[in-house]
Each structure stands twice: as structure tokens, then as C-alpha cells.
Amino acid sequence: MIPKHVAIIMDGNGRWAKDKGLPREYGHQNGVNSVKSIVEEAYKSGIQYLTLYAFSIENWDRPSDEINILMSLLVSTLRDEFDEIFDKGIKLNAIGEIKSLPKELVSELDFIINKTRKNTKMTLTLALSYGGKQEIFNAIKIISNKVKNNLIELNNFDDSIINSHLYTKNLPDVDLLIRTSGEQRISNFLLWQIAYSELYFTDVYWPDFSKDDFNKAIENYKTRERRFGKTSEQI
Ligand code: IPE
Ligand code: IPE
Ligand code: MG
């Protein structure tokens, strides 16, 4: 079976550029081409949810020039791709501390999210200024307040209460998590949501990550036996 929800840590833009003797921004620019082709391929393959880690909360610690380049690339890419996203029936979604992003980016996101809200073909989620720990912390804060005000009873507390207070409240758990560039870590990406995800690491840098590489990851996923704690015989 193909995964319902694929999440990708798009990593290696800087090293891709460095290997070519180019400034890091070229890596980010070329990374945008990979985003376009992977969104298209995921859509064609019938993936229902695609979530892309585009900017982490820790990425705010990068040099301001690089942050500015990334933010303007996000704005221009969203502007350029709006028609395509809309026409394909893709629903855009964003997770993270969206309010801390530049105004121009927030209004571009608001516009597309609103225009595509009724689309049903594929949900494309961008993780921006996103941190998994911060997401859980926020959820705990809101839930604690509700408990204090008797809006939630502690006896009724279960998984679904946490799920419904995360940024990802409208998304199913991640089936397949891909990370490019050879790093094998999670870097504060979806922590709660990857509790039972299949993990796939590839050495390919994000700007070189092709449709074939994506399909290889999907094929690899199909060979996995997801047991969720049971025995093979029970599956
Ligand atoms: C991923 O590539 C893009 C972002 C984190 C925004 P990097 O910029 O992290 O590239 P490397 O890891 O330095 O090669
Ligand atoms: C993770 O990549 C964030 C994104 C891909 C947006 P980083 O390159 O920032 O992560 P670390 O620093 O290697 O863990
Ligand atoms: Mg990196």
C-alpha cells in the first residue's frame, strides 16, 4: 500500500551548493525545483498528505542574510505556484509559529490557504518556523487551561485530546518520513506524529532529490511490515 501521509525533511541545500563552489543561496534556489517536482510526483502517485519541513524554529539562528533569502524564496514560490496548486485541487496548509514569519509571507499563506480550503485532492502542508517540542508545549498549555476552567475533564483525557490541540489536528499520523542529505536525525520535526512512522534516509542532497528518488522511497516503504507491536503472524 502506498503511504497516506509522507513527511520530508528537505536537507542538504547548503552542502549541495558548497560542493559546486557556489554560495548557499544557490542551493536553496535549486531546492525549490525539487519541491515543485516532488509535489507533482506525490500528487500523481495519489499521496493524500504531503508535509514538507521548510524552516525550523532553530533556523532563526542562521545568519540574517540567509533567513531573508529563504523568506523571499518562500514568498515568490507561493506566488508563482498558486495557479498550479489551485488548478490541481491541492489544499495548502501551514504548521508552526506562523505569526513569527514576515508579514508578506503570512499574507501570501493566508491567501492561498483560504482559496484552496475546499480542495480535496492532496493536502500540502508547509512546516514553517516549526518546532515539534514547541508544538507539544503549546498544546499542553492550552489543554491545562481548559482543564483549569473545567472545559476538559481529566478522566476523559486521551490521545485524541492531544491530537486535536496540535498544529496537525487535521492530519493523520505520518506513515513515511524521508530525510535527504545523509543526516540521520529528526531535528525537532513532527515528534508526536512520527511515533510509528517508517523512516527513510538517503544521502542525496535535496536539490538533487528527483522523482525517481522519491519513488524509490515509496517502493521501499511498500516492502516494510508495519506491526505496531503485534507479531508478524497477527498481521
Ligand atoms: C535545508 O538545507 C534547507 C533549510 C534548512 C532551510 P540546509 O540549508 O540545511 O543545507 P545544509 O544542511 O547546510 O547542507
Ligand atoms: C532541518 O534541517 C530543518 C529543515 C529541513 C527545514 P537543518 O539543516 O536545520 O537541521 P540540523 O541543524 O542539521 O539538525
Ligand atoms: Mg541542513
Side-chain angles (χ1 to χ4, degrees):
M1 256 206 327
I2 63 160
K4 190 169 175 189
H5 187 176
V6 178
I8 309 181
I9 303 175
M10 311 183 289
D11 197 17
N13 293 353
R15 281 163 285 162
W16 180 89
K18 196 176 172 194
D19 279 2
K20 295 183 157 46
L22 298 167
R24 293 176 59 85
E25 64 176 283
Y26 284 89
H28 297 314
Q29 279 164 4
N30 280 276
V32 171
N33 297 331
S34 298
V35 172
K36 290 185 206 163
S37 72
I38 298 311
V39 168
E40 191 174 307
E41 193 62 12
Y43 172 85
K44 266 200 210 150
S45 317
I47 307 285
Q48 283 180 52
Y49 297 88
L50 178 68
T51 299
L52 303 176
Y53 203 7
F55 193 82
S56 74
I57 206 143
E58 289 80 14
N59 289 149
W60 289 114
D61 291 333
R62 291 196 178 192
S64 57
D65 283 358
E66 178 162 347
I67 295 175
N68 292 339
I69 285 165
L70 284 165
M71 295 301 146
S72 19
L73 263 179
L74 282 159
V75 173
S76 59
T77 306
L78 285 170
R79 255 179 217 155
D80 294 348
E81 296 306 308
F82 168 68
D83 287 343
E84 184 80 16
I85 293 173
F86 186 81
D87 293 345
K88 279 196 157 83
I90 295 174
K91 177 177 178 159
L92 190 77
N93 179 36
I95 56 173
E97 293 190 347
I98 302 305
K99 286 195 192 103
S100 62
L101 297 167
K103 269 197 217 118
E104 216 188 355
L105 178 55
V106 176
S107 68
E108 202 58 40
L109 284 167
D110 282 349
F111 173 78
I112 307 186
I113 289 170
N114 185 42
K115 287 274 182 198
T116 63
R117 71 187 187 283
K118 290 191 184 133
N119 287 352
T120 53
K121 282 274 164 52
M122 177 174 90
T123 300
L124 171 63
T125 301
L126 300 179
L128 295 164
S129 191
Y130 176 88
K133 280 194 173 183
Q134 288 76 5
E135 178 181 38
I136 294 172
F137 172 71
N138 279 337
I140 293 173
K141 238 167 61 178
I142 302 168
I143 295 168
S144 308
N145 246 315
K146 289 191 182 170
V147 170
K148 200 169 88 188
N149 295 312
N150 296 319
L151 296 168
I152 298 176
E153 263 198 62
L154 268 185
N155 291 340
N156 296 338
F157 207 93
D158 60 9
D159 252 33
S160 68
I161 302 251
I162 306 228
N163 283 332
S164 61
H165 289 85
L166 296 174
Y167 299 133
T168 52
K169 55 178 174 289
N170 298 318
L171 308 177
D173 278 347
V174 175
D175 297 305
L176 171 65
L177 174 70
I178 300 172
R179 182 169 189 149
T180 60
S181 90
E183 306 298 359
Q184 302 196 358
R185 55 175 171 260
I186 302 299
S187 301
N188 204 13
F189 197 29
L190 311 162
L191 299 177
W192 176 269
Q193 302 86 342
I194 59 163
Y196 249 115
S197 302
E198 297 300 321
L199 308 179
Y200 182 89
F201 298 103
T202 167
D203 287 340
V204 178
Y205 289 144
W206 178 250
D208 283 334
F209 191 73
S210 63
K211 292 181 174 180
D212 281 352
D213 292 318
F214 179 75
N215 288 323
K216 234 190 260 173
I218 303 296
E219 287 309 311
N220 183 290
Y221 171 88
K222 288 189 196 160
T223 66
R224 312 259 183 119
E225 182 180 61
R226 303 186 76 191
R227 291 189 288 280
F228 297 98
K230 295 180 180 169
T231 68
S232 207
E233 289 69 30
Q234 286 175 290
I235 307 294

